[in-house]
């Protein structure tokens, strides 16, 4: 499908869904599409007053909330470039990214603003409190006056009230810069990914094709960071083009909070990272499966048990969803295999910030075990290997979903593309004759074995993570051998009357069994225990580079 204006797509949706709920804070306020449009128009007035021009940058740094959506859409539909910044970043990182992006306006939470100095962000004209849209800082009294007089100004401009007929959003073009999205830096420092409007259009259009049941009035729970492309695109932007209702959790998405929200909202689709499902599997499914191990080994009876587990799990996730789409990190193979066996409606996709984000996907009833789907429409995938079906190689991408480069970083941009223009993902995989992609790991994480074998630590970690009392593990090279860093589940230990030393002893005692399941060249020499959870990116990936030796 030929790329059209993304902003005009929003305009059309807002006009058609004016009286429907659009954005809600979970257990808080709800804004209808018409309410969002009015707030957007007020922000446009403020943008003009501070001299914001088309193409200027606007930074947003806050937790998920309805006003984040308002401010993001206001920026995009004005023709400016939103720069979402993860609110988990430390103040000096936020400050650096605001300056690096040359942002002229900053929307921010109080908690993030506390550690930032106005003097250290000299290019910013106005700092706006995200939750109230009040000014926290402005470079002149004139700008302050504009904000204080905004209700009166708005009434003068629209004496009969602002209506859908008054909407006229900026008409973008495919190659124009839409967003600068800073990566979460799993393997290094953040880079500003420049995404053109064609990349947004490609993902939005594919969403409509892949999930045709979604439409006006569909319910979605937003629990991933909206500052990250995965959550932004498929828990927010796509929904705003079809008249769906997005519920922002506005708090830490713990399993307890998430499951409560699902039971009350009954979402039509669920976007998640594997860690959430893996936690549910360990705490709720595995104990039941272990209890009925004999029945699960008997034909017919196994289907009865699996059906009961599936029924309970579907109900726990709200009972109404078409499928759960997992992405952002590798999925534990044993958990995937069990869910696949019980015909649970889930699928594993693959994407990157640089592709806005989707690369491959398959509907849950068309998935293949261990695969992350087939290339989306408008995207080509190739494997840099002499035999792409059998010999793993780097996954390389070409298509309308691919970014144009890293902001103010020509060296990183040049190294990210092949000579013939394909984006080098840094991921390793194979692709079968039907086009299904199977990932093996990240090339940056790959460890060279003693005889030159390629060792993908993610595959070893999947084995270790199945051991009882292991929350998660990280395999690293350590003086020519392999060490497993493990964060134990002390809470589960307490439930089983084990103290900290007892939990560690149980895990340590499993090392021989772990190594039996691993190739001879990939044996774990020792285990080290982490005193606290690994430092993670907001999409819950471990920041591997922090633990290398």
């Amino acid at each position: 499908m030929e790329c059209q204006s993304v902003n005009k797509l929003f305009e059309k949706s807002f006009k058609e869904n004016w009286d429907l709920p659009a954005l809600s804070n979970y257990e808080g306020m709800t804004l209808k599409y018409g309410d969002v449009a009015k707030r957007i128009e007020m922000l446009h007035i403020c943008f003009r007053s501070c001299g914001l021009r088309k193409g200027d940058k606007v930074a947003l740094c806050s937790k998920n909330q309805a006003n984040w959506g308002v401010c993001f859409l206001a920026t995009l539909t004005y023709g400016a470039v939103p720069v979402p910044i993860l609110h988990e970043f430390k103040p000096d990182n936020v400050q650096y990214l605001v300056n690096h992006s040359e942002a002229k306006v900053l929307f921010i939470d109080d908690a993030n603003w506390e550690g930032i100095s106005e003097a250290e962000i000299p290019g910013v004209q106005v700092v706006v409190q995200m939750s109230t849209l009040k000014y926290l800082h402005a470079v002149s009294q004139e700008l302050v006056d504009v904000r204080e007089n905004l209700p009166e100004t708005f009434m003068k401009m629209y004496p009969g009230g602002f209506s859908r007929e008054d909407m006229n959003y900026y008409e973008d073009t495919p190659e124009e810069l839409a967003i600068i999205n800073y990566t979460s830096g799993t393997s290094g420092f953040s880079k500003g990914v420049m995404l053109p409007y064609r990349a947004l259009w490609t993902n939005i259009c594919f969403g409509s094709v892949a999930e045709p049941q979604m439409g006006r009035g569909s319910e979605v729970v937003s629990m991933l960071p909206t500052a990250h492309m995965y959550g932004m695109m498929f828990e927010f932007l796509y929904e705003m083009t079809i008249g769906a209702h997005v519920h922002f959790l506005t708090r830490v998405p713990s399993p307890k909070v998430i499951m409560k929200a699902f039971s009350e909202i009954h979402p039509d689709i669920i976007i998640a990272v594997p860690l959430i499902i893996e936690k549910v599997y360990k705490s709720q499914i595995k104990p039941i499966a272990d209890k009925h191990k004999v029945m699960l080994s008997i034909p017919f009876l196994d289907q009865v048990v699996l059906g009961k587990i599936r029924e309970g799990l579907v109900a726990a996730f709200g009972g109404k969803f078409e499928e759960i789409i997992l992405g952002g990190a590798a999925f534990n193979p044993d958990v995937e295999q069990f869910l696949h066996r019980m015909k649970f409606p889930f699928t594993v996709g693959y994407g990157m910030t640089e592709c806005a984000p989707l690369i491959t996907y398959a509907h849950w009833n068309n998935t293949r075990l261990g695969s992350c789907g087939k290339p989306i429409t408008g995207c080509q995938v190739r494997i840099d290997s002499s035999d792409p079906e059998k010999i793993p190689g780097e996954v390389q991408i070409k298509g309308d979903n691919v970014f144009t480069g890293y902001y103010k970083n020509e060296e990183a941009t040049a190294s990210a593309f092949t000579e013939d223009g394909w984006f080098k993902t840094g991921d390793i995989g194979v692709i079968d004759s039907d086009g299904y992609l199977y990932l093996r790991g990240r090339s940056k994480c790959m460890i060279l074995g003693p005889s030159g074998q390629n060792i993908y630590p993610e595959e070893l970690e999947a084995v270790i993570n199945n051991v009882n009392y292991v929350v998660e593990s990280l395999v690293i090279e350590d003086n020519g051998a392999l060490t497993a860093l493990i964060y134990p589940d002390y809470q589960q230990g307490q439930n089983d009357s084990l103290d900290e030393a007892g939990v560690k002893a149980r895990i340590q005692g499993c090392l021989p069994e772990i190594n039996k399941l691993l190739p001879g060249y990939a044996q774990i020499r020792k285990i080290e225990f982490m005193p606290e959870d690994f430092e993670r990116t907001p999409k819950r990936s471990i920041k591997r580079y922090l633990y290398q030796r």
Side-chain angles (χ1 to χ4, degrees):
M1 187 186 297
E2 185 180 346
C3 291
Q4 299 175 29
S5 169
V6 171
N7 285 321
K8 289 300 180 182
L9 202 59
F10 290 129
E11 182 181 316
K12 180 174 182 289
S13 175
F14 277 50
K15 287 178 177 178
E16 291 176 351
N17 302 298
W18 191 262
D19 294 317
L20 291 182
L23 304 174
S24 290
N25 291 332
Y26 177 53
E27 297 182 331
M29 71 165 185
T30 293
L31 298 174
K32 294 180 179 178
Y33 277 86
D35 299 325
V36 175
K38 290 170 189 174
R39 291 193 180 197
I40 286 174
E41 183 59 26
M42 286 185 172
L43 286 172
H44 284 181
I45 293 170
C46 295
F47 287 164
R48 287 191 289 270
S49 73
C50 64
L52 196 70
R53 295 173 298 180
K54 305 296 185 280
D56 282 345
K57 318 301 186 300
V58 175
L60 304 92
C61 181
S62 87
K63 64 184 180 183
N64 288 13
Q65 57 181 293
N67 270 349
W68 189 98
V70 170
C71 297
F72 186 94
L73 289 171
T75 304
L76 210 60
T77 57
Y78 184 83
V81 178
V83 182
I85 298 173
L86 293 159
H87 79 279
E88 288 90 346
F89 281 171
K90 291 179 169 52
D92 56 340
N93 289 2
V94 174
Q95 201 163 272
Y96 170 78
L97 295 179
V98 169
N99 289 329
H100 184 266
S101 65
E102 302 171 296
K104 292 191 174 180
V105 176
L106 170 61
F107 292 96
I108 196 165
D109 264 344
D110 286 340
N112 296 99
W113 178 240
E114 284 176 8
I116 298 175
S117 164
E118 297 97 324
E120 296 298 324
I121 48 172
V124 174
Q125 299 292 300
V126 175
V127 178
V128 186
Q129 186 182 48
M130 186 72 81
S131 58
T132 64
L133 301 183
K134 292 180 179 178
Y135 286 3
L136 295 168
H137 166 71
V139 296
S140 70
Q141 183 59 43
E142 183 181 354
L143 294 178
V144 174
D145 292 341
V146 169
R147 177 63 186 90
E148 289 181 351
N149 297 324
L150 184 58
E152 183 181 336
T153 303
F154 192 76
M155 287 182 66
K156 285 181 180 178
M157 289 181 66
Y158 303 102
F162 185 79
S163 70
R164 65 190 89 194
E165 286 74 28
D166 295 313
M167 297 175 64
N168 185 24
Y169 290 158
Y170 174 72
E171 188 165 358
D172 52 272
T173 55
E175 293 300 326
E176 194 175 346
L177 178 61
I179 299 170
I180 297 177
N181 195 203
Y182 284 89
T183 62
S184 50
T186 309
S187 53
F189 297 103
S190 296
K191 297 187 290 286
V193 177
M194 296 190 293
L195 293 166
Y197 274 98
R198 59 171 163 74
L200 305 190
W201 176 267
T202 301
N203 275 268
I204 289 169
C205 286
F206 186 77
S208 294
V209 172
E211 304 296 338
Q213 80 287 351
M214 295 283 288
R216 301 181 78 227
S218 290
E219 305 285 351
V220 172
V221 175
S222 173
M223 55 184 169
L224 300 176
T226 43
H228 191 275
M229 277 311 304
Y230 183 30
M232 182 200 306
M233 178 58 69
F234 292 112
E235 290 183 336
F236 170 58
L237 284 181
Y238 162 61
E239 281 75 9
M240 291 296 96
T241 67
I242 60 171
H245 182 192
V246 176
H247 301 258
F248 293 105
L249 283 185
T250 73
R251 66 200 71 179
V252 177
S254 68
K256 184 178 179 181
V257 169
I258 291 169
M259 302 313 276
K260 181 174 182 289
F262 287 161
S263 68
E264 295 172 359
I265 295 167
H266 307 290
D268 290 273
I269 197 163
I270 294 171
I271 311 295
V273 292
L275 192 61
I276 292 172
I277 303 297
E278 287 166 8
K279 282 185 175 180
V280 171
Y281 172 81
K282 273 194 170 183
S283 64
Q284 297 183 29
I285 301 174
K286 193 172 184 296
I288 299 173
D290 289 344
K291 185 179 178 182
H292 296 91
K293 193 172 291 185
V294 174
M295 292 178 70
L296 286 171
S297 66
I298 301 171
F300 178 72
L301 280 181
D302 66 332
Q303 293 305 310
V304 174
V305 175
L306 291 171
K308 288 287 186 183
I309 297 174
R310 181 185 186 278
E311 186 180 318
L313 196 56
V314 167
F317 281 98
K320 188 183 164 194
F321 61 97
E322 169 70 17
E323 64 180 357
I324 296 178
I325 302 175
L326 300 175
F331 194 24
N332 184 298
D334 285 358
V335 179
E336 180 181 6
Q337 191 168 9
F338 191 88
L339 294 181
H340 188 78
R341 182 184 171 192
M342 62 187 274
K343 297 180 175 59
F344 185 70
F346 80 99
T347 186
V348 179
Y350 168 55
M352 295 182 72
T353 301
E354 287 85 348
C355 295
L358 205 54
I359 297 171
T360 60
Y361 161 89
H363 193 267
W364 77 271
N365 53 20
N366 289 319
T367 57
R368 292 187 179 176
L369 199 59
S371 169
C372 50
K374 301 168 74 170
I376 68 167
T377 307
C379 172
Q380 301 174 64
V381 175
R382 75 180 184 188
I383 305 297
D384 185 20
S385 162
S386 58
D387 187 351
E389 289 188 41
K390 296 177 181 176
I391 302 174
E394 183 179 45
V395 180
Q396 299 179 348
I397 313 295
K398 200 171 193 178
D400 288 338
N401 56 332
V402 178
F403 75 132
T404 57
Y406 297 110
Y407 189 57
K408 296 196 295 191
N409 195 336
E410 292 181 7
E411 184 180 347
T413 299
S415 65
F417 290 90
T418 63
E419 289 186 4
D420 56 348
W422 290 69
F423 168 53
K424 300 188 292 185
T425 66
D427 290 325
I428 303 296
V430 293
I431 195 164
D432 69 19
S433 57
D434 294 321
Y436 283 85
L437 179 66
Y438 299 78
L439 294 178
R440 294 290 182 260
R442 283 197 64 79
S443 60
K444 290 180 181 178
C445 302
M446 190 187 74
I447 299 169
L448 200 62
S451 301
Q453 306 95 332
N454 292 340
I455 300 172
Y456 301 107
E458 297 94 336
E459 295 181 352
L460 279 58
E461 290 153 11
V463 173
I464 298 167
N465 291 345
N466 283 328
V467 172
N468 214 5
Y469 305 115
V470 173
V471 174
E472 196 153 14
S473 62
L474 186 69
V475 173
I476 61 171
E477 186 175 19
D478 186 8
N479 292 320
L482 299 178
T483 292
L485 307 179
I486 291 178
Y487 176 52
D489 192 339
Y490 295 120
Q491 182 59 53
Q492 185 187 347
Q494 286 181 12
N495 295 341
D496 295 342
S497 302
L498 288 175
D499 60 11
E500 188 173 314
V503 170
K504 289 180 178 179
R506 288 284 184 93
I507 296 172
Q508 191 72 52
C510 292
L511 184 55
E513 294 301 316
I514 292 170
N515 280 327
K516 281 183 183 178
L517 300 173
L518 301 177
Y521 60 81
Q523 296 289 289
I524 304 297
R525 183 181 64 179
K526 67 175 180 176
I527 289 173
E528 293 182 10
F529 294 100
M530 304 294 293
E532 55 189 25
D533 194 6
F534 295 98
E535 190 164 338
R536 300 174 183 273
T537 68
K539 66 173 184 177
R540 304 304 295 161
S541 301
I542 297 172
K543 293 185 177 180
R544 288 181 175 270
Y545 64 94
L546 296 177
Y547 301 94
Q548 303 306 318
R549 294 177 181 172

